[in-house]
């Protein structure tokens, strides 16, 4: 990963001027590079990392493992793309190992998520089995500590 | 308690210890410690954790090995790793058996090196601004510390003229601390050639403190004075693991020098220390053999911060030459008309930002402050924001 991407990944709100300073480039060069990365689809978007526990204490999140039957011509793509269409589904990944697709799903209650799984996902053609695990607490997300602040244990001694 | 009152401790204490100046900025640090919400840019140690491979080695050693004394000069395997590392990094060969001793941090290394060569009355040239320990250690050895003030206009490099002007027939040793704490200055091969030219043919030794050797930027590798022709034989090289591998608390460093010097240096070490911490020695082997990539990652991160700060300070009017080493920038505070100490105290009181007054590192540091970038970018940005507010109120106040 380039330094520019690493910096944006850590903090997407850095201004082009700040990025230029850190990278030893001009503001204009940075702006062009970012525009190119966006155009190429390398950068897909910018988002905030939120501590959901504080922002919306009632929201629940679940990790769902899905075993599915791949289709003859398009493998897992077809079913993954169908699942993607639901707003409740935050992420979909094809996995190696004991199951095929990993989903993260958000809802307003345990019941809502459970209903989504049983009524929507399980009923879907090709879905063989589901396993739902609810997230109880998030400690770290996208390399940022969520649960608590990192303490600086160093003292001022030169 | 009654007995204590009868003793005149001042009379009992060694005069040269009583005469040692207390650390000038202790009061300032203590003040910072009493305040809430202080953003500190004051520390001189990495914010990174020691790379995991090193910590894991220490854990394994604690589980599986007896932690006993090692050879006085340090574990043979560690000395061999150090020798290989120095050959890789500065193309200089040291015999692990006779020319290397493993110490308790760079600090002990400096102490025993100075004690081994300084006789009462000997003059030791100390490049300033510099880390605070050299002059007191020289004084403890009954030597005379002679500061050589370097200049901002020379990017705080030592020049041949400055050196020549301070040499007398009592000069025994030159302390050459580059990459430099607090200025971030480095000495390139050309800069060192000029210094070597002055020293060749004299009886002056060099104590080259290269603790920040891994932290050089802009694609330039650190060059040691030991690499310059005719210099290895008069150089006592001091280095350690604290900064390069983020291992400050592990307390491990080393001294390398020609065998006749090391033989004597080891004598002091064996009487005062016996042997350096055993767990740290095992871990340090892993640091030297397996952590090149981790070090490179830390240096890349420091470099981003360095460029951010240099640009930011110059933009807000605290002019700052581009430091090419260590993890400090050393901006001028001239635009405020304040002394370094006044600046630091008011910045702390008004904006809750702690930086270190430049004069703490020698008189020639007056008019500057030391800013450490061993902090996350997020932390640095908050600090710059506060310093900007401070300057808006105080810039041009002297006019």
């Amino acid at each position: 990963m380039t330094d520019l991407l690493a910096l944006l990944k850590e903090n997407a709100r850095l201004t082009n001027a700040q990025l230029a300073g850190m990278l030893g480039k001009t503001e204009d060069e940075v702006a062009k590079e970012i525009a190119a990365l966006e155009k190429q689809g390398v950068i897909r978007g910018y988002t905030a990392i939120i501590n959901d526990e504080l922002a919306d204490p009632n929201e629940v999140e679940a990790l769902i493992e899905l075993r599915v039957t791949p289709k003859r011509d398009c493998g897992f793509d077809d079913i993954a793309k169908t699942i993607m269409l639901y707003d409740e589904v935050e992420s979909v990944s094809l996995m190696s190992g004991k199951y095929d697709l990993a989903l993260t799903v958000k809802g307003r209650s345990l019941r809502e998520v459970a209903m989504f799984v049983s009524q929507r996902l399980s009923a879907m053609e090709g879905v063989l089995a589901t396993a739902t695990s609810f997230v109880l607490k998030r400690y770290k997300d996208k390399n940022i500590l969520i649960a608590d602040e990192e303490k600086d244990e160093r003292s001022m001694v030169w | 308690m009654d007995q204590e009152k009868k003793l005149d401790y001042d009379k009992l204490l060694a005069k040269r210890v009583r005469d040692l100046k207390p650390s000038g900025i202790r009061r300032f640090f203590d003040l910072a410690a009493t305040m809430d919400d202080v953003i500190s840019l004051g520390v001189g140690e990495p914010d990174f954790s020691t790379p995991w491979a090193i910590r894991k080695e220490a854990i394994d050693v604690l589980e599986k090995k007896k932690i006993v004394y090692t050879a006085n000069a340090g574990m043979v395997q560690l000395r061999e790793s150090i020798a290989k590392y120095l050959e890789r990094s500065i193309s200089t060969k040291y015999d692990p058996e006779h020319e290397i001793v493993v110490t308790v941090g760079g600090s002990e290394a400096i102490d025993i090196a100075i004690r081994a060569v300084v006789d009462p009355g000997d003059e030791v040239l100390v490049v300033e601004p510099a880390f605070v320990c050299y002059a007191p250690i020289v004084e403890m050895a009954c030597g005379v510390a002679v500061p050589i003030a370097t200049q901002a206009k020379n990017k705080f490099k030592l020049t041949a003229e400055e050196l020549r002007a301070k040499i007398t027939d009592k000069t025994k040793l030159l302390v050459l601390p580059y990459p430099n704490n607090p200025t971030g200055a480095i000495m390139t091969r050309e800069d060192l050639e000029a210094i070597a030219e002055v020293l060749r043919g004299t009886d002056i030794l060099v104590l080259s403190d290269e603790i920040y050797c891994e932290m050089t930027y802009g694609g330039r590798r650190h060059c040691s004075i030991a690499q310059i022709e005719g210099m290895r034989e008069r150089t006592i090289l001091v280095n350690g693991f604290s900064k390069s591998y983020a291992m400050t608390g592990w307390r491990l460093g080393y001294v390398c020098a020609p065998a006749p010097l090391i033989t004597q240096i080891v004598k002091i070490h064996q009487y005062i220390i016996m042997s350096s911490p055993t767990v740290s020695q095992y871990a340090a082997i892993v640091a030297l053999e397996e952590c090149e990539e981790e070090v490179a990652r830390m240096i890349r991160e420091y470099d981003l911060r360095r460029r951010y700060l240099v640009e930011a300070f110059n933009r807000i009017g605290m002019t700052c030459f581009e430091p090419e080493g260590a993890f400090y920038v050393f901006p001028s505070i001239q635009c405020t008309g304040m002394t370094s100490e006044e600046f630091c105290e008011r910045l702390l009181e008004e904006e809750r930002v702690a930086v270190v007054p430049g004069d703490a590192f020698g008189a020639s540091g007056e008019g500057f402050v030391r800013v450490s970038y061993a902090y996350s970018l997020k932390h640095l940005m908050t600090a710059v924001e506060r310093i900007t507010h401070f300057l808006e109120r105080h810039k041009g106040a002297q006019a």
Side-chain angles (χ1 to χ4, degrees):
Chain A
M1 196 181 308
T2 62
D3 284 344
L4 174 61
L5 283 175
L7 283 168
L8 286 173
K9 213 175 150 183
E10 200 183 302
N11 179 2
R13 296 196 65 184
L14 292 172
T15 64
N16 288 353
Q18 287 167 328
L19 289 165
M22 291 173 204
L23 296 166
K25 296 180 177 174
T26 66
E27 236 179 292
D28 200 39
E29 283 168 342
V30 169
K32 278 191 184 138
E33 223 171 293
I34 291 177
L37 288 165
E38 287 171 350
K39 204 173 158 204
Q40 292 157 14
V42 176
I43 295 176
R44 308 292 302 197
Y46 303 88
T47 132
I49 295 157
I50 289 167
N51 184 349
D52 291 326
E53 227 175 285
L54 296 178
D56 183 358
N58 295 319
E59 193 178 56
V60 292
E61 184 178 349
L63 191 76
I64 297 162
E65 303 166 4
L66 235 57
R67 282 207 298 120
V68 300
T69 323
K71 280 196 182 168
R72 182 180 286 274
D73 295 320
C74 48
F76 296 97
D77 286 359
D78 234 29
I79 193 156
K81 281 179 180 165
T82 311
I83 291 170
M84 253 162 55
L85 295 176
Y86 291 103
D87 283 341
E88 293 91 334
V89 176
E90 285 232 325
S91 75
V92 183
S93 316
L94 180 62
M95 309 298 288
S96 68
K98 283 189 179 154
Y99 57 95
D100 305 306
L101 294 175
L103 277 51
T104 52
V105 171
K106 279 194 177 165
R108 282 192 300 274
S109 65
L110 293 181
R111 186 181 161 74
E112 192 182 278
V113 173
M115 292 308 280
F116 174 76
V117 174
S118 62
Q119 292 184 349
R120 304 280 179 212
L121 293 178
S122 301
M124 205 175 276
E125 199 194 330
V127 172
L128 298 172
T130 66
T132 305
S133 315
F134 287 97
V135 174
L136 300 180
K137 182 174 182 178
R138 192 179 296 289
Y139 294 93
K140 189 179 182 184
D141 191 15
K142 304 224 167 41
N143 218 13
I144 303 239
L145 299 186
I146 301 289
D148 44 15
E149 288 286 316
E150 214 165 347
K151 271 212 185 86
D152 193 345
E153 290 162 358
R154 299 171 294 169
S155 50
M156 294 242 280
V157 283
W158 310 105
Chain B
M1 287 306 267
D2 283 343
Q3 271 178 333
E4 280 183 26
K5 277 180 197 157
K6 287 177 199 149
L7 293 177
D8 182 353
Y9 289 106
D10 273 351
K11 267 191 190 152
L12 295 170
L13 282 159
K15 180 172 182 313
R16 64 174 182 283
V17 175
R18 271 186 291 124
D19 287 350
L20 279 184
K21 265 183 283 167
S23 159
I25 58 172
R26 194 64 260 167
R27 184 181 60 88
F28 176 71
F29 284 170
D30 291 345
L31 181 65
T34 63
M35 295 180 175
D36 288 332
D37 191 30
V38 171
I39 288 259
S40 165
L41 301 177
V43 308
E45 58 181 320
D47 56 317
F48 300 103
S49 302
T50 308
W52 176 246
I54 300 172
R55 285 187 278 160
K56 185 71 175 60
E57 175 67 11
I59 294 165
D60 288 351
V61 163
L62 281 171
E63 279 183 356
K64 292 175 193 150
K65 297 235 161 64
K66 274 192 188 169
I67 310 302
V68 294
Y69 295 131
T70 68
N72 289 134
M75 289 167 60
V76 176
Q77 203 194 338
L78 173 56
R79 281 181 277 150
E80 282 168 356
S81 294
I82 291 168
K84 274 188 270 171
Y85 166 75
L86 292 173
E87 196 168 354
R88 259 193 335 263
S89 60
I90 56 168
S91 317
T92 305
K93 283 191 179 157
Y94 284 99
D95 172 6
E97 207 180 327
H98 302 111
E99 298 187 316
I100 300 175
V101 50
V102 178
T103 58
V104 180
S107 302
E108 191 221 341
I110 294 163
D111 180 29
I112 59 179
I114 288 175
R115 279 203 266 173
V117 301
V118 171
D119 269 327
D122 282 351
E123 291 179 359
V124 176
L125 306 178
V126 180
V127 173
E128 282 187 358
F131 181 55
V132 294
C133 78
Y134 308 112
I137 289 175
V138 169
E139 285 157 22
M140 292 286 286
C142 300
V144 180
V146 180
I148 308 181
T150 55
Q151 310 291 323
K153 68 174 187 337
N154 298 327
K155 295 183 164 188
F156 293 103
K157 291 168 188 287
L158 174 66
T159 66
E161 298 74 53
E162 287 161 348
L163 172 60
R164 212 176 277 123
K166 297 285 182 174
I167 292 178
T168 71
D169 51 9
K170 287 190 188 141
T171 307
K172 172 65 77 67
L173 180 70
L174 164 67
V175 176
L176 194 65
Y178 290 95
N180 184 270
N181 168 14
T183 64
I186 62 161
M187 293 285 277
T188 64
R189 177 177 278 276
E190 299 74 53
D191 301 327
L192 292 169
E193 291 278 5
I195 299 306
E197 193 55 41
V198 179
L199 297 176
R200 266 189 290 261
T202 69
D203 281 334
I204 300 170
L205 296 166
V206 179
L207 173 67
S208 187
D209 184 349
E210 304 181 16
I211 193 86
Y212 290 98
C213 70
E214 287 292 332
M215 283 138 210
T216 55
Y217 308 102
R220 204 196 288 279
R221 290 283 308 177
H222 167 70
C223 182
S224 168
I225 193 157
Q227 288 172 261
I228 311 294
E229 201 198 325
M231 287 299 112
R232 185 190 178 284
E233 66 198 50
R234 66 177 71 242
T235 299
I236 305 173
L237 187 156
V238 166
N239 205 331
F241 297 87
S242 297
K243 318 289 179 176
S244 300
Y245 302 96
M247 291 177 72
T248 46
W250 301 68
R251 306 313 302 126
L252 212 64
Y254 52 91
V255 192
C256 304
L261 290 170
I262 288 295
T263 310
Q264 303 303 319
I265 289 171
V266 171
K267 272 197 329 208
I268 311 177
H269 175 77
Q270 87 186 26
Y271 287 129
I272 62 172
I273 298 294
M274 189 83 83
S275 67
S276 296
T278 303
V279 176
S280 300
Q281 291 194 52
Y282 276 107
I285 296 169
V286 172
L288 291 168
E289 308 264 326
E290 295 175 27
C291 293
E292 215 165 308
E293 228 167 84
E294 295 265 9
V295 172
R297 191 181 56 78
M298 291 190 266
I299 304 306
R300 272 203 305 280
E301 178 72 28
Y302 285 132
D303 196 14
L304 293 171
R305 303 168 181 180
R306 176 186 72 102
R307 283 192 292 232
Y308 167 70
L309 279 185
V310 171
E311 196 275 332
F313 279 124
N314 280 313
R315 183 163 35 80
I316 64 179
M318 283 169 70
T319 52
C320 175
F321 82 102
E322 189 182 341
E324 292 176 83
F327 43 62
Y328 309 102
V329 295
F330 203 59
S332 161
I333 52 153
Q334 206 186 4
C335 68
T336 63
M338 298 179 198
T339 65
S340 298
E341 195 154 328
E342 192 184 352
F343 179 95
C344 292
E345 250 172 61
R346 292 183 69 175
L347 181 64
L348 183 61
E349 268 162 23
E350 293 174 29
E351 294 288 342
R352 297 281 192 267
V353 177
V355 298
V356 182
D359 64 331
F361 304 94
S364 54
E366 177 54 53
F368 299 86
V369 292
R370 186 190 80 171
V371 176
S372 160
Y373 50 87
Y375 293 95
S376 71
L377 272 168
K378 190 175 153 199
H379 185 100
L380 295 178
M381 283 175 172
T382 313
V384 165
E385 213 172 282
R386 293 187 186 187
I387 296 172
T388 307
H389 291 151
F390 182 78
L391 282 186
E392 276 163 9
R393 287 196 304 276
H394 299 293
K395 208 152 73 170
Q398 85 278 24

